[in-house]
């Protein structure tokens, strides 16, 4: 009998670090999920040794004798492809283990087993590990996970039945067999999102609503970071205990100080760390040992210093999550929550926000100082402000889910420099934005490396990990990728447009839009009335409205009659309504009442300019009275050159925001109107498309090498997704026998419309981006190309096709009967489904696509597909 080789003597396969992800169990407890490693052998022995006989029986489907340690150690050696094991860590120990082994006779099936430590079996580790192993198996070509469970193991049975995956179970008996299809069904995604949402909110409560706070690195000297954090906590009215930690101080800012976290009278919920960078890892470890639930690392000297710093901050994140803590930062300015439940000012900022309805996440620490100061000068109140810094753990995506249910927050602002998990962001934002506007400032990166080019030729960026560690369900927002190209500007705009997020390109524009949406309703449409006492500013306002997607329509006859009666026969009653420099408060009130009562007007911009005007307080009162009488239509002002919440235009809860220049007022209304139009449109769905044969497509890809796909295979791949390729060049590829016939047919339809293209490029951050445009000068000279990030819903496809400036050529408004838009949109959806199902596809182009008259469909005449090599496969989850 031959002794099997020791696994330690075998060459080890490459470790899949892309499977390292933080996670949250149902209770909100943090953990860290990663593939098992050979160095886990002793840890695995300790894990199995700590299991009860009942748990071992569930794992082995009956009474067992404990395995020898050398046999257990071999379980730490896997090839990460045909055998894969993932562990969920609690501190330095294994809390849960899931393993699959591929079926050699049926390679798209695998046996899966779960083992959870006894003390952790009611926390939700099983469901979390199922989600992670299903995603890993799917990426490795496994379609079905097979599991056998003892009939009385109700916890594991409920995990399978409640997962949302398509589950088939065998007949009742002592052992129940399950087949779990790992393709993400809509129900599975929805249930995973609900579980994640609950877990995220529970995990953030110690951070945003702590009962006690420690400040490690508290300093006795005023104007130092450690001192000002303590002072702000006390000054802000925090109702819990504040514990300064300084081994050489008796008190800080009037509060008793303690030598270390270990000597505090109770484990604090939250600890802020303001010590030297090299001391931070030991302090975080000390916090974990003391039972701290969340830490904010204010200290600098990490990812911004280079690769070594990035490695250190990622290790901090891994340790914190494995220890059950959430971590903000490093390199951040802290956390503010002004709501009555918290009154938390855990920051060193000298400018603390006043309470209000706006919450903000900022990725830049230094910028956060300026943001809070500027908001205070505008008198824009905040419910919360979190400076996430490098976002190695707590991210914008997490905070969105907190503010989603915060009754004190009605508008959410985001300062976004880099993206972590953009698809997860899109899912969360689509859920939040219909109820609470999300406004993001992202300046864009121009023609960044990997950008999908305007002509739709497709990019060549890597479809890989979308960001550094950070999101509870995947990756964070920035860490670890300072040297990687940013996303293309078109991809950023597309993601925001699909998600209902208002994109701005400057902080001024961000706050202008926030002022309106925090104090006025979004307009029901884009028709604006302009009321003025000066003709020049009114002309600027009309131009700004047009540039912002707004209309300044002529008033209806009834409104004009009302204006003439109120203003006199010589008054200008067109739109804009010029009340002349002699206008009184009564004139403003009558004019505003008239235009806001007009069913053809959705909003009003009021201009009141010095030095021609008199009695501004009376005019302001008239504006407030009119706005209060028409609460469903927003009123904004450019009033005496001021900006923000002016005393004169503020009465209790009623605020008419004022802008220094009328162009800013128009731009803000434009953002609000576009947001309302998005919110009023029925939400899209990702439809089930008939005629899709995913198994056939995967078998075709199995025989292809990386790089360009042969034309015939490319045509068959598209045919697997219900898209016929009919090449019109004789002898050039599949379907060429139809070439002359089809060319003749299309040539007889000169009025059928222009040719188009569809392409897919791999954005380095967002993954697949679909581009659509018309061929020739439309795309090449006018850059008239629409982009969307996959997966596309039917609404995305419809909006994409109709968003071109050349859309009148397609829908029949110009130059003929138009084209078959329904068939075109269906083709877009099929391409989206194809690249989502087949991550091996790195780039694709359909060019030209013949757009035929309504009812005749579309004709794809040429298709090219390129596959990524093995090191570049995969994509964001």
């Amino acid at each position: 009998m031959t002794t099997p080789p020791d696994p330690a003597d075998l060459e080890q396969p490459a470790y899949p670090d892309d499977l390292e992800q933080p996670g949250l169990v149902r209770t909100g407890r943090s953990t860290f999920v990663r593939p098992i490693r050979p160095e886990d052998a002793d840890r695995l022995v300790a894990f199995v040794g700590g299991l009860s006989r009942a748990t071992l029986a569930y794992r082995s489907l009956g009474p067992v004798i404990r395995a020898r340690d050398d046999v257990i150690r071999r379980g730490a050696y896997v090839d990460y492809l045909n055998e894969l094991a993932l562990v969920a860590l609690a501190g330095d120990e294994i809390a849960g283990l899931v393993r699959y082994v591929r079926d050699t006779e049926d390679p798209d099936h695998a046996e899966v087993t779960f083992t959870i430590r006894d003390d952790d079996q009611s926390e939700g580790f099983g469901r979390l590990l199922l989600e992670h192993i299903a995603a890993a198996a799917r990426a490795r070509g496994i379609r079905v996970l097979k599991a056998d469970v003892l009939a009385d193991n109700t916890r594991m049975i409920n995990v399978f039945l409640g997962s949302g995956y398509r589950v088939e179970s065998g007949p009742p008996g002592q052992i129940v067999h399950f087949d779990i299809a790992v393709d993400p069904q809509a129900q599975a995604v929805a249930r995973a999102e609900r579980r994640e949402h609950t877990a995220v909110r529970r995990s953030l409560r110690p951070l945003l609503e702590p009962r006690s706070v420690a400040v490690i690195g508290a300093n006795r000297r005023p104007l130092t970071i450690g001192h000002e954090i303590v002072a702000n906590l006390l000054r802000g009215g925090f109702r819990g205990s504040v514990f300064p930690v300084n081994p050489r101080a008796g008190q800080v800012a009037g509060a008793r100080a303690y030598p270390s976290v270990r000597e505090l009278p109770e484990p604090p919920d939250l600890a802020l760390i303001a010590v030297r960078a090299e001391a931070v890892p030991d302090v975080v470890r000390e916090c974990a040992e003391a039972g701290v639930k969340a830490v904010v690392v204010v200290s600098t000297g990490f990812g911004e210093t280079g690769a070594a710093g990035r490695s250190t901050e990622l290790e901090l994140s891994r340790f914190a999550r494995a220890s059950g803590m959430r971590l903000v930062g490093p390199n951040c300015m802290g956390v503010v929550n002004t709501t009555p439940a918290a009154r938390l000012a855990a920051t060193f900022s000298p400018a603390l926000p006043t309470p209000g309805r706006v919450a903000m996440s900022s990725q830049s620490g230094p910028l956060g100082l300026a943001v809070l100061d500027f908001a205070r000068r505008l008198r824009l109140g905040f419910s919360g402000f979190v400076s996430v810094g490098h976002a190695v753990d707590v991210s914008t995506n997490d905070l969105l889910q907190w503010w989603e249910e915060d009754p004190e927050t009605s508008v959410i602002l985001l300062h976004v420099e880099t993206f972590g998990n953009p698809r997860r962001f899109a899912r969360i934002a689509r859920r939040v934005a219909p109820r609470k506007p999300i406004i993001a400032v992202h300046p864009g990166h121009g023609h960044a490396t990997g950008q999908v080019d305007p002509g739709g030729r497709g990019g060549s960026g890597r479809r890989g990990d979308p960001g550094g560690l950070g999101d509870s369900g995947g990756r964070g927002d920035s860490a670890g990728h300072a040297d990687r190209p940013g996303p293309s500007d078109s991809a950023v705009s597309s993601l925001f447009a699909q998600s209902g997020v208002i994109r701005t390109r400057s902080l001024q524009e961000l706050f202008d839009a926030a002022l309106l949406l925090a104090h006025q309703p979004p307009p029901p449409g884009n028709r604006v009335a302009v009321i003025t006492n000066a003709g020049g500013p009114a002309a600027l306002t009309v131009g700004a409205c047009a540039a912002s997607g707004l209309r300044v329509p002529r008033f209806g006859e009834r409104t004009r009659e009302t204006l003439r009666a109120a203003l006199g026969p010589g008054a200008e009653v067109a739109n804009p309504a010029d009340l002349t420099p002699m206008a009184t408060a009564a004139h403003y009130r009558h004019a505003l009442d008239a235009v806001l009562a007009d069913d053809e007007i959705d909003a009003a911009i009021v201009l009141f300019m010095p030095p021609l005007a008199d009695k501004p307080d009376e005019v302001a009162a008239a504006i407030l009275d009119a706005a209060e009488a028409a609460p469903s239509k927003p009123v904004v002002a450019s009033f005496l050159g001021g900006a923000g919440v002016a005393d004169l235009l503020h009465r209790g809860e009623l605020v008419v925001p004022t802008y220094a220049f009328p162009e800013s007022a128009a731009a803000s209304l434009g953002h609000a109107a576009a947001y309302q139009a998005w919110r009023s449109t029925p939400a899209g769905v990702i439809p089930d498309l008939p005629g899709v044969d995913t198994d056939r497509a995967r078998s075709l890809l199995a025989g292809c090498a990386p790089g360009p796909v042969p034309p015939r295979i490319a045509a068959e791949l598209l045919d697997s997704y219900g898209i016929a390729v009919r090449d019109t060049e004789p002898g050039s590829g599949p379907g060429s026998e139809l070439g002359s016939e089809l060319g003749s047919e299309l040539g007889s339809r000169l009025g059928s419309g222009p040719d188009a293209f569809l392409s897919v490029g791999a954005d380095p951050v967002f993954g697949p981006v679909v581009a659509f445009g018309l061929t020739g000068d439309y795309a090449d000279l006018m850059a008239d190309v629409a982009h969307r990030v996959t997966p596309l819903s039917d609404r995305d496809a419809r909006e994409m096709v109709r968003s071109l400036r050349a859309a009148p050529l397609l829908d029949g408004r110009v130059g003929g009967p138009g084209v078959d838009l329904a068939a075109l949109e269906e083709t877009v959806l099929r391409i989206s489904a194809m690249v989502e199902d087949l991550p091996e596809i790195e780039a694709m182009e359909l060019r030209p696509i013949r757009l035929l008259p309504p009812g005749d469909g579309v004709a794809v005449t040429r298709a090219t597909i390129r596959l990524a090599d093995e090191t570049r496969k995969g994509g964001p989850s």
Side-chain angles (χ1 to χ4, degrees), residues 217-516:
N219 199 302
R220 286 173 291 188
R221 289 187 292 114
L223 301 182
T224 59
I225 288 177
H227 182 278
E228 294 308 304
I229 293 174
V230 176
N232 279 341
L233 282 166
L234 299 173
R235 188 184 310 129
F238 180 62
R239 294 177 176 176
S241 301
V242 177
F243 303 125
V245 176
N246 184 327
R248 294 180 297 276
Q251 63 174 226
V252 173
R256 178 188 172 184
Y258 296 83
S260 70
V261 178
R262 297 185 188 92
E263 298 179 58
L264 295 178
E266 62 183 72
D269 281 347
L270 172 65
L272 285 97
I273 301 174
V275 300
R276 300 185 314 276
E278 57 269 25
V280 168
D282 287 340
V283 171
V284 172
R285 186 172 295 275
E286 186 179 354
C287 287
E289 293 170 353
V292 175
K293 297 181 177 65
V295 292
V296 175
V297 180
V298 177
S299 310
T300 61
F302 293 91
E304 74 276 14
T305 65
R310 290 198 293 275
S311 177
T312 300
E313 67 185 17
L314 291 178
E315 285 303 317
L316 279 177
S317 172
R318 292 186 181 101
F319 174 79
R321 295 305 291 267
S323 301
M325 297 190 298
R326 299 306 306 267
L327 184 149
V328 173
N331 193 12
C332 70
M333 56 170 286
V335 177
V336 175
N337 186 354
T338 70
T339 64
R343 294 187 180 178
L344 177 71
T347 176
F348 57 87
S349 172
L352 296 179
T354 57
R357 308 290 296 176
V358 177
M360 184 172 184
S361 166
S362 173
Q363 286 185 347
S364 170
L367 184 64
L369 297 173
V371 163
L372 290 181
D373 180 64
F374 186 57
R376 192 172 185 90
R377 285 189 281 119
L378 289 178
R379 297 180 63 183
L380 181 65
F382 276 72
S383 59
F385 180 90
V386 179
S387 169
V388 295
H390 293 175
V392 295
D393 177 23
V394 173
S395 70
T396 295
N397 289 344
D398 294 319
L399 295 169
L400 277 174
Q401 298 193 77
W402 176 267
W403 290 321
E404 177 182 4
E405 294 186 21
D406 180 15
E408 304 297 325
T409 298
S410 58
V411 179
I412 300 172
L413 309 185
L414 307 177
H415 165 244
V416 183
E417 291 178 345
T418 56
F419 285 86
N421 191 327
R423 296 190 177 196
R424 184 166 172 262
F425 170 83
R427 291 197 301 268
I428 296 169
R430 285 185 182 186
R431 189 177 71 226
V432 177
R435 295 188 291 117
K436 298 183 180 183
I438 303 171
I439 313 172
V441 57
H442 188 287
H445 299 286
H447 296 282
T449 302
Q451 176 175 343
V452 179
D453 73 83
R457 300 283 180 182
S460 58
R462 175 180 179 272
R463 283 181 62 183
D465 169 25
L469 285 168
D471 280 349
S472 58
R475 297 283 174 169
D477 287 332
S478 63
H481 294 276
D483 55 345
R484 195 178 66 185
S488 67
D489 195 60
S490 60
V492 173
S493 294
S494 299
L495 180 76
F496 286 155
Q498 287 174 259
S499 308
V501 175
I502 300 169
R503 181 187 183 178
T504 65
R505 295 179 182 271
S506 70
L507 284 170
Q508 181 69 63
E509 190 181 2
L510 175 88
F511 281 108
D512 285 344
L515 274 170
L516 190 156

Side-chain angles (χ1 to χ4, degrees), residues 50-67:
L51 299 176
S52 67
R53 288 191 174 275
T55 295
L56 286 171
Y58 282 143
R59 166 66 181 79
S60 302
L61 303 180
V64 295
I65 300 174
R66 291 185 184 272

